[in-house]
Amino acid sequence: MKSKPTYQALNHKTDLELFQLIKERDKGALETVFNRYYESLCRFGTTYENDMDVIEEKVSDVFIHLWNAHERLDQIKKPKPYLFVVVKHKLMEPVSYQKLKHTLDRGLEDERSSSPCIEQEIIEQEQREMYVRRIQEVLDKIPKKSRQIFEMSRLDELKYKEISEILGVSIKTVENHMAIALKTIRNMVVKNKQF
């Protein structure tokens, strides 16, 4: 009887190896792929949908699909681009249900902010938020398509070829959008000396 790999051992496996283990019904392998790509897939989803609840649900559906379609996983030769393409298709499907509504519980936030021992945390949080706002201002200046390709390359660590396959554009188009994004960032940083 073959023993199941530990979480740490699974974390060092390639995507193809993990897909093979999912095919063999290894839940740990599915969890590893989920942990490896969930955040990137959700961020990628924001280019097709604004409602984060919908994005998270659709991305989760992709992993359910992965588990249920385990017999066909050996046909997938490039797991990472495959996941991005499936998320794209899921998010482009017409929504047949009412979008989920957000509710915020301000009571807990107010209670935490009134505590004197948390003052330093609040200051640090405000500094982090200011830094994030600055980065966001720079990213907002990048044209939408160029920004999507920049994030896929720099944040999701996809190769230009993978990006071109996912988005259905040429590698040259990916290169051109990256050049636009990098030039925009460089100009914003030099102009505003933001960092």
Side-chain angles (χ1 to χ4, degrees), residues 5-183:
T6 64
Y7 175 74
Q8 200 159 22
L10 287 171
N11 218 15
H12 294 292
K13 295 209 175 278
T14 67
D15 294 341
L16 277 173
E17 292 170 328
L18 290 170
F19 269 44
Q20 182 58 42
L21 289 170
I22 294 168
K23 181 177 172 25
E24 296 167 10
R25 309 306 279 163
D26 186 323
K27 290 180 182 176
L30 180 67
E31 184 179 344
T32 302
V33 172
F34 179 89
N35 290 335
R36 193 175 283 179
Y37 292 114
Y38 180 79
E39 190 176 309
S40 296
L41 292 170
C42 287
R43 185 175 46 254
F44 172 71
T46 61
T47 59
Y48 298 98
E49 172 64 50
N50 293 327
D51 188 335
M52 204 58 196
D53 288 335
V54 172
I55 294 168
E56 289 174 351
E57 184 175 334
K58 294 285 187 173
V59 170
S60 296
D61 287 348
V62 169
F63 289 98
I64 293 169
H65 167 76
L66 200 61
W67 184 254
N68 292 335
H70 66 286
E71 291 104 8
R72 295 178 300 221
L73 291 183
D74 56 350
Q75 298 169 8
I76 299 165
K77 303 301 178 206
K78 297 178 180 178
K80 187 175 184 178
Y82 169 80
L83 291 171
F84 279 85
V85 169
V86 174
V87 167
K88 175 183 172 184
H89 290 297
K90 285 266 185 206
L91 287 168
M92 292 177 74
E93 290 174 352
V95 180
S96 60
Y97 55 89
Q98 191 174 15
K99 288 187 176 185
L100 302 171
K101 294 186 183 187
H102 297 287
T103 55
L104 299 173
D105 183 6
R106 296 269 182 212
L108 276 176
E109 250 180 46
D110 293 341
E111 186 178 323
R112 276 189 270 162
S113 65
S114 65
S115 174
C117 64
I118 203 158
E119 287 176 357
Q120 186 61 33
E121 282 184 41
I122 292 171
I123 292 169
E124 290 170 4
Q125 178 65 26
E126 286 175 358
Q127 288 173 337
R128 281 191 298 269
E129 288 172 3
M130 186 175 67
Y131 182 71
V132 167
R133 276 194 306 274
R134 285 182 177 167
I135 292 172
Q136 193 63 48
E137 287 171 13
V138 171
L139 291 176
D140 287 344
K141 297 293 182 189
I142 301 172
K144 188 174 181 179
K145 193 70 166 179
S146 299
R147 178 179 173 172
Q148 177 188 23
I149 288 172
F150 175 81
E151 288 177 348
M152 291 173 76
S153 172
R154 295 303 196 261
L155 301 177
D156 301 327
E157 299 177 359
L158 290 167
K159 295 180 175 84
Y160 287 5
K161 187 174 192 293
E162 293 171 328
I163 296 169
S164 74
E165 290 171 359
I166 291 167
L167 298 178
V169 297
S170 71
I171 293 175
K172 188 68 177 164
T173 301
V174 172
E175 291 171 352
N176 290 339
H177 280 291
M178 280 298 293
I180 291 167
L182 293 172
K183 183 178 178 183

